[in-house]
């Protein structure tokens, strides 16, 4: 047993502090690896991104990287899960707003981080090939996204949207617009204003910030029960809110 092992095996406060320090260091290294991987995948694509290149950009040896991510596939999963956690954190921060408005705020957030959006877009496109390690992830993710968006639309607009579509039929369109706008914005950010364009699409659906007063309104009490009281509720709230 080494001196470090002996120091870390005790039960006193010093040992606990040392343990927490190691955990923090490990978390920092994982974060650095994931950030480096996102950057390189955005630049080169997944297949042309090597573990050695990720390790070099993260300031680690390849052996050091393998300690955290033993395979390239596990690193890819880590990148995708990190991106989704950031999206969930952004949505949670917007809790209390109407649900389609929360999606709009997520688009606002993505407009501030083109590198992450670029990584996601590259991986999503690459995943259509049969042998891509992220294919199963994206198949499952899009099924969940479509189901979740159908729930969002039903909660806000009821069983039929103002244009006549059901939430289930509109959900794939909503997902397609989100990803399609990201691609156009990445290619031509001066011409495509992603947040504004997404709100325009919500207005076409008749939901969200751009809907006409009285269209697609669902029961306010039910929605408040799901999301909790937020800054849009109470005296002085927007009278067009659902």
């Amino acid at each position: 047993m080494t001196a470090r092992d002996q120091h870390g095996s005790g039960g006193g406060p010093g040992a606990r502090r040392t343990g927490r320090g190691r955990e923090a260091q490990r978390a920092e290294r994982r974060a650095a690896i994931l950030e480096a991987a996102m950057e390189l995948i955005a630049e080169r694509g997944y297949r042309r991104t090597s573990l050695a290149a990720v390790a070099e950009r993260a300031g680690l040896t390849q052996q050091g990287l393998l300690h955290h991510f033993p395979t390239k596939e596990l690193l890819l999963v880590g990148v995708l899960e990190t991106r989704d956690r950031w999206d969930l954190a952004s949505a949670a921060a917007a809790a209390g707003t109407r649900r389609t408005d929360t999606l709009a705020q997520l688009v606002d957030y993505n407009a501030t981080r083109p590198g992450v959006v670029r990584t996601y877009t590259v991986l999503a496109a690459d995943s259509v090939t049969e042998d891509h390690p992220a294919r199963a992830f994206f198949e499952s993710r899009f099924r969940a996204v479509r189901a979740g968006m159908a729930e969002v639309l039903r909660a806000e607009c009821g069983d039929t949207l103002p244009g006549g579509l059901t939430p289930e039929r509109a959900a794939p369109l909503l997902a397609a617009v989100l990803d399609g706008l990201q691609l156009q914005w990445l290619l031509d950010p001066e011409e495509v204003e992603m947040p504004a364009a997404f709100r325009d699409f919500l207005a076409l659906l008749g939901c969200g910030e751009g809907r006409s007063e009285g269209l697609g309104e669902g029961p306010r009490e039910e929605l408040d029960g799901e999301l909790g009281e937020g800054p849009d509720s109470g005296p002085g709230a927007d009278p067009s809110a659902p």
Side-chain angles (χ1 to χ4, degrees):
M1 180 177 290
T2 66
R4 177 177 295 180
D5 292 334
Q6 292 172 348
H7 181 70
S9 63
R16 288 195 295 271
R17 283 195 298 271
T18 301
R20 284 197 296 270
R22 285 198 297 268
E23 290 174 5
Q25 186 179 55
R26 177 181 175 84
E28 289 174 1
R29 287 177 178 170
R30 282 179 61 88
I33 292 168
L34 291 169
E35 182 177 356
M38 286 184 183
E39 292 174 356
L40 286 167
I41 290 171
E43 295 169 10
R44 307 177 184 182
Y46 170 76
R47 297 187 187 280
R48 291 192 296 157
T49 297
S50 67
L51 291 177
V54 174
E56 181 180 2
R57 183 164 295 194
L60 299 170
T61 64
Q62 186 167 342
Q63 191 62 37
L65 182 149
L66 292 173
H67 177 71
H68 298 277
F69 297 97
T71 68
K72 188 177 177 183
E73 288 75 17
L74 288 175
L75 176 59
L76 174 61
V77 170
V79 167
L80 293 169
E81 289 178 344
T82 297
R83 195 262 187 185
D84 276 357
R85 279 198 300 271
W86 287 347
D87 282 356
L88 288 172
S90 176
T97 62
R98 295 190 300 267
R99 286 190 171 194
T100 51
D101 293 352
T102 301
L103 291 176
Q105 290 178 32
L106 180 58
V107 174
D108 295 341
Y109 177 50
N110 281 337
T112 69
R113 50 176 194 161
V116 173
V117 174
R118 188 177 298 111
T119 302
Y120 169 84
T121 302
V122 169
L123 285 172
D126 282 352
S127 73
V128 300
T129 56
E130 291 290 341
D131 60 341
H132 195 281
R135 184 181 178 98
F137 175 92
F138 277 105
E139 287 176 349
S140 175
R141 186 180 192 279
F142 276 115
R143 281 194 293 268
V145 164
R146 289 192 296 270
M149 287 184 174
E151 290 181 6
V152 165
L153 293 171
R154 176 166 283 104
E156 189 159 335
C157 299
D159 290 334
T160 304
L161 277 64
L165 292 177
T166 64
E168 284 72 22
R169 289 182 62 189
L173 303 178
L174 186 55
V177 167
L178 279 167
D179 282 4
L181 280 175
Q182 288 185 160
L183 176 59
Q184 294 182 64
W185 171 70
L186 288 169
L187 290 171
D188 198 354
E190 296 300 321
E191 288 293 324
V192 178
E193 189 178 348
M194 183 167 61
F198 182 69
R199 286 173 168 82
D200 288 343
F201 181 72
L202 291 181
L204 289 176
L205 287 179
C207 295
E209 295 173 343
R211 72 177 168 195
S212 300
E213 184 175 354
L215 287 180
E217 291 191 355
R220 175 70 192 218
E221 293 78 13
E222 179 181 347
L223 193 58
D224 280 342
E226 292 178 3
L227 297 181
E229 294 292 334
D232 292 337
S233 61
D238 179 0
S240 66

